[in-house]
Amino acid sequence: MRIGLIGTGRIGAFHAGVLARHPEVTSLVVADADAGRAAQVGGAVGATVAPTVDALLDHPLDAVVISSATAAHAELIAHAADAGLPAFCEKPIALDVPGTLAALRAVESAGTELQLGFMRRFDAGYAAAREAVRAGRLGRLHTVRTVTSDPAPPPAPYLPLSGGLFRDCLVHDADILRWVTGREVVEVYATGSDAGPAMFREADDVDTAAAVLTLDDGTLATATATRCNGAGYDVRMELAGDRDQIAVGLDDRTPLTSVEASGPPAPVKPWPGFLERFAPAYEAELDAFVRLVRGERANPCDGREALEALRIAEACERSRRERRPVALTEIPSALS
């Protein structure tokens, strides 16, 4: 299989290594707006380096992987669709619903496939939680709690381009909440704090956020996120039912210390970041994409799934700004 990779930043470089090692990938072509970075990554994995995206698309390809800057995602998805190529794209499709809908219409019109990079769907812990919920082992699910905590803020120039904490970080929680429970979010009530570094206030963003989400069966979920978790990278999910309670992401590397005398000790090697924590999941999602392109499996996370996660994030951001509950019916969803 011949794959083109657009974007060779941190996650793009990781994807390049995974694709170069994949037994079904016979050739890899990479491109980046930073030609030097593309040359470095391409040289490291033995890939062909294209000087531009157009030059990359001129190569005989079977599929495209998009890991460029977020602002370019929608346009690149449309380019891939116009070229008749199935595409894998890191989340999000776009930073707003209209841009997302436009890209999805391009894919729908071309009749191509689009898989989105919500890697938590490919993590063993989240998969086990989904199976437990769907099998009824927790009984009636009544409470879900999610945590997404980065160990340190991103560079200041990134913030105005990120879409904000809800669209950039908590969109993962929105997606995995739907995927694990099989339910839809009907209403959110969210808030945020910009009491941390000044760069968040300057970007009209928040460094810490919390949301209460009501699901269509009455289950209540809370989602919290922060850019300033000095203990380490912490991503967890707790699900409580009237029979049992389980947790995802709770292990000997979770950056959480008990103050109880009989509690577990502090982690010796806490998770430092997302690539380390979710490396197997990132590999699994690309393998799923290869199998999708080969016709061996169905799409595990198509563009409509990404749209629904973004709608929840949009509702949270609107709730934060307007200080009120927001129903998901207020956020556009139609592709027509």
Side-chain angles (χ1 to χ4, degrees), residues 16-17 20-21 26-30 38-49:
R21 294 191 301 270
T26 56
S27 68
L28 179 64
V29 183
V30 302
Q40 182 178 14
V41 171
V45 301
T48 299
V49 180

Side-chain angles (χ1 to χ4, degrees), residues 194-213:
D194 61 4
M199 63 182 182
F200 289 97
R201 293 184 291 280
E202 293 164 0
D204 193 25
D205 195 6
V206 294
D207 59 80
T208 303
V212 177
L213 307 98

Side-chain angles (χ1 to χ4, degrees), residues 68-75 77 89-104 116 118 157-171 203 205 227 306-307 309-315 317-318 321 331-332:
S68 63
T70 297
H73 286 183
E75 182 180 0
I77 288 169
C89 185
E90 281 299 329
K91 65 83 192 167
I93 293 174
L95 290 178
D96 58 22
V97 171
T100 299
L101 291 172
L104 292 182
L116 265 291
F118 283 106
Y158 173 77
L159 293 178
L161 308 175
S162 71
L165 190 59
F166 288 105
R167 299 183 190 93
D168 190 45
C169 286
L170 276 168
V171 70
D205 195 6
R227 302 280 199 183
L307 171 62
L310 178 62
R311 290 180 65 235
I312 297 168
E314 286 279 343
E317 180 63 15
R318 182 176 296 184
R321 291 184 180 277
I331 311 299

